[in-house]
Tab-separated table of all heavy atoms in Angstrom:
chain	number	residue	atom	x	y	z
A	10	THR	N	41.023	-6.435	-30.361
A	10	THR	CA	41.213	-7.854	-30.297
A	10	THR	C	40.997	-8.414	-28.949
A	10	THR	O	40.354	-7.743	-28.091
A	10	THR	CB	42.652	-8.199	-30.798
A	10	THR	OG1	42.786	-9.595	-30.880
A	10	THR	CG2	43.716	-7.566	-29.914
A	29	ARG	N	48.481	1.649	-41.216
A	29	ARG	CA	49.671	2.520	-40.952
A	29	ARG	C	50.220	2.937	-42.289
A	29	ARG	O	50.622	4.097	-42.494
A	29	ARG	CB	50.671	1.747	-40.116
A	29	ARG	CG	50.298	1.584	-38.696
A	29	ARG	CD	51.266	0.732	-37.924
A	29	ARG	NE	50.913	0.583	-36.471
A	29	ARG	CZ	51.475	-0.280	-35.683
A	29	ARG	NH1	52.391	-1.074	-36.091
A	29	ARG	NH2	51.135	-0.313	-34.424
A	31	GLY	N	48.657	3.376	-44.907
A	31	GLY	CA	47.711	4.349	-45.463
A	31	GLY	C	47.684	5.657	-44.800
A	31	GLY	O	46.829	6.559	-45.085
A	40	TRP	N	40.212	-5.764	-26.021
A	40	TRP	CA	38.993	-5.082	-25.548
A	40	TRP	C	38.915	-4.911	-24.022
A	40	TRP	O	38.357	-4.013	-23.480
A	40	TRP	CB	37.725	-5.803	-26.134
A	40	TRP	CG	37.387	-7.099	-25.502
A	40	TRP	CD1	37.840	-8.356	-26.013
A	40	TRP	CD2	36.604	-7.389	-24.373
A	40	TRP	NE1	37.391	-9.363	-25.186
A	40	TRP	CE2	36.575	-8.825	-24.225
A	40	TRP	CE3	35.897	-6.607	-23.430
A	40	TRP	CZ2	35.849	-9.458	-23.181
A	40	TRP	CZ3	35.162	-7.268	-22.459
A	40	TRP	CH2	35.144	-8.626	-22.301
A	47	TRP	N	39.819	4.516	-24.411
A	47	TRP	CA	39.096	4.412	-25.651
A	47	TRP	C	38.694	5.773	-26.230
A	47	TRP	O	38.640	5.946	-27.423
A	47	TRP	CB	37.840	3.533	-25.422
A	47	TRP	CG	38.224	2.103	-25.088
A	47	TRP	CD1	38.091	1.515	-23.871
A	47	TRP	CD2	38.814	1.148	-25.962
A	47	TRP	NE1	38.575	0.255	-23.928
A	47	TRP	CE2	38.962	-0.016	-25.174
A	47	TRP	CE3	39.155	1.118	-27.317
A	47	TRP	CZ2	39.528	-1.208	-25.757
A	47	TRP	CZ3	39.705	0.005	-27.827
A	47	TRP	CH2	39.861	-1.181	-27.066
A	101	ALA	N	14.328	-15.264	-40.628
A	101	ALA	CA	13.249	-16.098	-41.156
A	101	ALA	C	11.866	-15.367	-41.244
A	101	ALA	O	11.157	-15.477	-42.185
A	101	ALA	CB	13.096	-17.367	-40.318
A	109	PRO	N	16.459	-23.826	-41.031
A	109	PRO	CA	15.343	-23.904	-40.039
A	109	PRO	C	15.938	-24.183	-38.642
A	109	PRO	O	16.757	-25.032	-38.452
A	109	PRO	CB	14.526	-25.104	-40.527
A	109	PRO	CG	14.813	-25.225	-41.977
A	109	PRO	CD	16.279	-24.778	-42.152
A	133	LYS	N	23.695	-26.720	-30.858
A	133	LYS	CA	24.722	-25.758	-30.530
A	133	LYS	C	24.100	-24.725	-29.593
A	133	LYS	O	22.921	-24.535	-29.536
A	133	LYS	CB	25.320	-25.106	-31.728
A	133	LYS	CG	24.329	-24.223	-32.479
A	133	LYS	CD	24.991	-23.492	-33.700
A	133	LYS	CE	25.092	-24.319	-34.850
A	133	LYS	NZ	25.541	-23.618	-36.068
A	143	THR	N	29.533	-27.449	-30.018
A	143	THR	CA	28.564	-27.811	-31.115
A	143	THR	C	28.916	-29.250	-31.581
A	143	THR	O	30.058	-29.661	-31.635
A	143	THR	CB	28.761	-26.826	-32.280
A	143	THR	OG1	28.412	-25.485	-31.800
A	143	THR	CG2	27.876	-27.137	-33.451
A	153	ASP	N	21.262	-39.030	-27.815
A	153	ASP	CA	22.552	-38.353	-27.609
A	153	ASP	C	22.438	-36.881	-27.804
A	153	ASP	O	23.037	-36.071	-27.052
A	153	ASP	CB	23.576	-38.942	-28.596
A	153	ASP	CG	23.880	-40.405	-28.340
A	153	ASP	OD1	23.697	-40.882	-27.206
A	153	ASP	OD2	24.328	-41.095	-29.306
A	219	PRO	N	39.566	-19.416	-52.382
A	219	PRO	CA	38.751	-18.339	-52.978
A	219	PRO	C	37.591	-18.905	-53.698
A	219	PRO	O	37.633	-20.033	-54.225
A	219	PRO	CB	39.731	-17.635	-53.935
A	219	PRO	CG	41.064	-17.988	-53.400
A	219	PRO	CD	41.014	-19.401	-52.858
A	258	PRO	N	20.733	-21.583	-51.645
A	258	PRO	CA	21.533	-21.113	-50.552
A	258	PRO	C	20.674	-20.660	-49.363
A	258	PRO	O	19.573	-20.046	-49.599
A	258	PRO	CB	22.265	-19.885	-51.134
A	258	PRO	CG	21.398	-19.464	-52.335
A	258	PRO	CD	20.739	-20.692	-52.823
A	272	LEU	N	41.600	-12.264	-45.209
A	272	LEU	CA	42.217	-11.262	-46.043
A	272	LEU	C	43.492	-11.765	-46.677
A	272	LEU	O	43.951	-11.204	-47.724
A	272	LEU	CB	42.505	-10.034	-45.193
A	272	LEU	CG	41.282	-9.344	-44.586
A	272	LEU	CD1	41.649	-8.226	-43.686
A	272	LEU	CD2	40.359	-8.883	-45.690
A	295	GLY	N	28.515	11.410	-34.534
A	295	GLY	CA	27.067	11.546	-34.377
A	295	GLY	C	26.368	10.427	-35.055
A	295	GLY	O	26.914	9.544	-35.620
Side-chain angles (χ1 to χ4, degrees):
T10 184
R29 290 172 177 171
W40 70 270
W47 296 106
K133 66 176 82 171
T143 299
D153 294 337
L272 298 177

